[in-house]
Amino acid sequence: MSKGNIRLLGDTLAKAKAEDRAALVAYLPAGFPTVDGGIEAVKAVVAGGADIVEVGLPHSDPVLDGAVIQTADDIALRGGVRIADVLRTVREAHEATGAPVLVMTYWNPIDRYGPERFAAELAEAGGAGCILPDLPVQESALWREHADKHGLATVFVVAPSSKDARLATITAAGSGFVYAASLMGVTGTRESVGNEAQELVRRTRATTELPVCVGLGVSNAVQAKEVAGFADGVIVGSAFVKLLLDAPDLPAGLAAVRALAGELAEGVRRS
C-alpha cells in the first residue's frame, strides 16, 4: 500500500493550478446509500471530473452539516456503517480511481478508535489525510504526530469568524490544504456572502503557502466558476448527496452525480 498520499494530494492541487483552474473536491459520506453504493458513488464523481474526494465518516450528531448530509449519515448509521467500512471505501475508491481520498470526520470517533491506529490504517488504505472540522489546533499535536509519520495531510477548517492571529495558528499547524468554510445564501444576500468567502480566502492566503479550498454551498457550475475565480479548490458535498437521496435507484443516482461532477468540472475552469 502506498504510504504518503499527501504528496499525491499536493501534486493534484498543483496540476489544477498549472492548468489555470481550481481543483474540484467532492464530498460523499461512507456507507450511503450502502457501503458498496458509496464506493460506486465515489468512482462516479471522479469519472465525471472530480480531482479529490472527501469521504465522510458518518456521525450521529453531525453538528456542522446541513439537513441533507444529516439524512445521509442517518441512513449510513442505520445500515450499520463502521470505521472499517470507511477505510474500505477509501481503499477501493483510491485503488479504482487513483485520486487522492481524504476522510472528513469529527474527532470523537478517531479518539475512541485510537488516533495512532486510525492514522496507520488510513495510510495503509491509501488515504491522503483527514479533514477535522472540530479538532482544536491546540489539542491536535498527538494526531499530527501520527499523521506526519504516515504521510497524511491534516486539513483544518477556517471560517469568516476566525481572527487573523487565529488563522495564522491554524494554517501553521495544517497540511495538504486549508478548508475555508462559508455559507452561501443562508445569511445576508448572495453577493455579500460571496464577498465574505473571497475575503476569507484573501486573509487565509496572507498566512500560508497552502492551497485554500472553499466549501460554500456550491451546487452548480455558475457558483463553481465564481468560487474558482478566487480559490484553489471548490468543495461540493450536499449537491451530490441530494442527487443520491432523490434518485429512484442507485444507477440513476450514480448517473446524476457523474453528470453534476462533469458540469462542475467545466465550471472550475476559469477561462
Side-chain angles (χ1 to χ4, degrees):
M1 284 294 125
S2 59
K3 185 172 145 183
N5 271 342
I6 187 173
R7 193 175 301 117
L8 174 64
L9 178 64
D11 289 349
T12 302
L13 287 159
K15 178 173 179 281
K17 187 175 186 176
E19 293 172 2
D20 190 37
R21 64 182 181 87
L24 176 58
V25 185
Y27 166 92
L28 290 162
F32 169 75
T34 61
V35 177
D36 289 343
I39 292 166
E40 292 307 313
V42 175
K43 293 179 191 174
V45 292
V46 176
D51 299 290
I52 296 162
V53 180
E54 303 174 2
V55 169
L57 193 157
H59 194 271
S60 53
D61 184 27
V63 286
L64 302 173
D65 295 305
V68 169
I69 290 170
Q70 287 189 19
T71 301
D73 276 8
D74 285 345
I75 290 167
L77 291 166
R78 283 206 303 272
V81 71
R82 322 275 307 177
I83 284 182
D85 300 311
V86 178
L87 293 165
R88 185 186 140 214
T89 301
V90 171
R91 180 191 309 277
E92 294 192 14
H94 174 63
E95 283 177 355
T97 64
V101 182
L102 299 104
V103 169
M104 185 161 187
T105 179
Y106 295 96
W107 178 243
N108 190 35
I110 295 186
D111 195 35
R112 285 206 309 263
Y113 194 76
E116 183 167 16
R117 178 183 172 201
F118 189 83
E121 292 181 10
L122 179 57
E124 200 266 331
C130 263
I131 301 163
L132 299 161
D134 69 335
L135 177 63
V137 170
Q138 60 273 20
E139 293 168 27
S140 68
L142 175 70
W143 163 258
R144 285 187 287 129
E145 178 192 329
H146 295 304
D148 290 347
K149 187 166 83 183
H150 292 288
L152 297 171
T154 298
V155 177
F156 288 112
V157 177
V158 297
S161 56
S162 308
K163 303 275 186 283
D164 288 347
R166 177 92 187 123
L167 283 178
T169 304
I170 294 170
T171 59
S175 55
F177 63 90
V178 182
Y179 189 126
S182 189
L183 293 169
M184 188 144 55
V186 174
T187 53
T189 65
R190 173 64 222 310
E191 182 126 336
S192 69
V193 180
N195 292 341
E196 193 173 53
Q198 189 164 359
E199 177 63 10
L200 175 59
V201 171
R202 188 194 63 74
R203 290 171 51 223
T204 303
R205 282 202 176 128
T207 70
T208 184
E209 296 292 304
L210 289 172
V212 183
C213 300
V214 174
L216 243 178
V218 170
S219 62
N220 61 50
V222 173
Q223 293 166 334
K225 188 175 222 46
E226 183 188 345
V227 176
F230 58 81
D232 299 297
V234 179
I235 302 168
V236 180
S238 296
F240 287 122
V241 176
K242 189 169 189 324
L243 289 174
L244 289 168
L245 278 171
D246 292 349
D249 54 37
L250 183 62
L254 296 175
V257 296
R258 181 173 178 161
L260 176 61
E263 291 163 27
L264 294 166
E266 285 300 309
V268 297
R269 292 173 196 281
R270 300 191 177 110
S271 56

